Amino acid sequence: MWLFKSTIGRKVVMSVTGISLILFLTFHCCMNLVALFSGEAYNLICKMLGANWYAVVATMGLAGLALLHIVYAFILTAQNRKARGENRYEVATTVNSGKVEWASKNMLVLGIIILLGLILHLANFWYKMMFAELMHTTMGFDPTDGYGIIQYTFSQPLYVVLYVIWIVAIWFHLTHGFWSAMQTLGASGKTWFCRWKIIGFIYTTLLMLGFLAVILTFYFKSLFCCATC
């Protein structure tokens, strides 16, 4: 099937899965922002999205999208390197004229950082919440108290630093990936190409600022609580 065997088809798969993951991040960010206003409301959302059959199915679907995106990223990167051959360093030198973004040349590195951050995030939250609830264990935390897990995680300076690095890497990845996906899917005209770049920049910046707001708010709250104890 051309969608999986041809270079264009693989780019389409990358684009569709990437846009789907951006939509998930949007939902995830909105959900996390609720925690800034109400711990009870956040835990209620966590309960609705807990170890239910539809949540498990959705998680498996999301994992499939992420896996496809990652696998095809490596395949396309290997194809590009093979096509460039020994000239890839010469090409990298010429693109430094400003026509090619830094993120465009380092998407694989950014992808690896994002993957490592994802593993950390799954260990900190999914493992202690959905997995723990499915296994009927606690993993040291109440799996239904997502708010408490957020409080604990973002009270740890090391986690805060690692998450900030992760968020910055995602921002770089998405600011390039957003308009690149739209271009692959047909928005290649000069006018709309520029518009999609601007839209993508603004959208992903607001999205990542939302995640950072949650991380930093809980961290500074923990510092304030320690100072007043």
Side-chain angles (χ1 to χ4, degrees):
M1 186 178 180
W2 74 271
L3 196 60
F4 299 100
K5 294 182 179 180
S6 69
T7 300
I8 295 176
R10 287 166 179 163
K11 287 183 178 180
V12 170
V13 172
M14 277 280 292
S15 300
V16 172
T17 55
I19 291 172
S20 299
L21 292 172
I22 290 174
L23 292 175
F24 167 74
L25 284 175
T26 303
F27 166 77
H28 195 23
C29 181
C30 292
M31 174 181 168
N32 285 1
L33 288 173
V34 172
L36 296 179
F37 303 98
S38 172
E40 291 183 1
Y42 180 79
N43 281 344
L44 180 61
I45 296 173
C46 290
K47 184 177 180 180
M48 292 173 59
L49 300 175
N52 305 300
W53 69 267
Y54 50 84
V56 174
V57 170
T59 301
M60 292 174 62
L62 182 63
L65 287 173
L67 186 61
L68 267 177
H69 193 76
I70 293 168
V71 169
Y72 275 75
F74 278 101
I75 291 174
L76 288 171
T77 299
Q79 283 182 340
N80 289 338
R81 285 179 176 269
K82 185 177 180 180
R84 291 176 182 174
E86 296 180 356
N87 294 325
R88 64 178 179 269
Y89 299 107
E90 180 181 345
V91 172
T93 301
T94 59
V95 296
N96 283 331
S97 59
K99 293 182 180 179
V100 177
E101 299 173 347
W102 178 87
S104 176
K105 295 181 291 180
N106 295 277
M107 288 296 275
L108 181 61
V109 175
L110 291 171
I112 292 173
I113 295 174
I114 293 169
L115 178 59
L116 293 175
L118 178 61
I119 294 171
L120 174 67
H121 188 62
L122 290 174
N124 279 332
F125 291 95
W126 179 82
Y127 181 71
K128 295 173 183 175
M129 296 174 69
M130 179 180 283
F131 182 81
E133 196 171 350
L134 288 171
M135 295 295 104
H136 302 290
T137 185
T138 62
M139 304 298 180
F141 296 88
D142 179 357
T144 63
D145 185 17
Y147 186 78
I149 295 175
I150 285 182
Q151 284 182 310
Y152 169 78
T153 302
F154 297 136
S155 67
Q156 310 299 310
L158 178 59
Y159 283 147
V160 171
V161 172
L162 292 176
Y163 269 87
V164 169
I165 293 172
W166 187 39
I167 295 300
V168 171
I170 294 175
W171 180 84
F172 274 112
H173 191 81
L174 293 187
T175 51
H176 169 77
F178 189 97
W179 65 257
S180 180
M182 300 310 298
Q183 186 180 43
T184 297
L185 296 176
S188 55
K190 184 176 180 180
T191 300
W192 270 104
F193 174 74
C194 294
R195 289 175 180 174
W196 280 121
K197 289 193 74 171
I198 295 171
I199 292 170
F201 180 86
I202 295 173
Y203 188 85
T204 55
T205 298
L206 291 175
L207 188 60
M208 293 304 106
L209 285 176
F211 283 113
L212 283 175
V214 175
I215 295 168
L216 297 178
T217 297
F218 277 94
Y219 176 65
F220 287 117
K221 272 186 177 181
S222 69
L223 292 180
F224 178 76
C225 290
C226 291
T228 55
C229 287

